Amino acid sequence: MEKYLKALLIAHDVESPHTHIIARLLETLEQNKIPVPGNIKLSVDLTGYAVHTRYPGLYEPVTEDGFREALAVSECVHAWVRKQLR
C-alpha cells in the first residue's frame, strides 16, 4: 500500500515523504488537495503488518479474519490508486 500511495503522490508531482507510515502518506495526499475516500483511510491499519512481518515471533499471528480484512482493504486501495492514475 505504501508504494501505491507514493506512486499516486509522484503522479501528482508531490514529493513523497520518506516514511513507511500509511497514515502519513494519506495526510500528505489530503494536504495536497487529493481527496481520500473513507474506505481508503482504513488502510492506516496496514502499517502494522509491515512491522509484524519484519519481526516474526514478536507479535501474535494474524488471524484468518484479520488476513481477509487486510486483503480486502489492500484490494480497495490498489483499485482506487489505479483508477486515479488513468
Side-chain angles (χ1 to χ4, degrees), residues 26-69:
L26 295 174
E27 288 171 8
T28 304
L29 286 165
E30 291 188 317
Q31 289 167 353
N32 286 278
K33 311 282 190 269
I34 304 164
V36 178
N39 66 327
I40 301 305
K41 291 179 182 180
L42 296 174
S43 65
V44 298
D45 294 335
L46 299 177
T47 296
Y49 285 93
V51 174
H52 291 268
T53 58
R54 282 192 191 109
Y55 305 103
L58 297 179
Y59 300 94
E60 292 294 316
V62 176
T63 65
E64 182 74 22
D65 288 341
F67 165 76
R68 291 191 186 288
E69 184 178 319

Side-chain angles (χ1 to χ4, degrees), residues 1-10 16 19-20 22 25 54 77 81 85:
M1 295 310 87
E2 172 193 344
K3 300 303 182 192
Y4 288 131
L5 297 173
K6 287 182 175 185
L8 186 55
L9 286 166
I10 291 167
S16 175
T19 185
H20 301 292
I22 292 172
L25 296 169
R54 282 192 191 109
V77 173
V81 170
L85 295 176

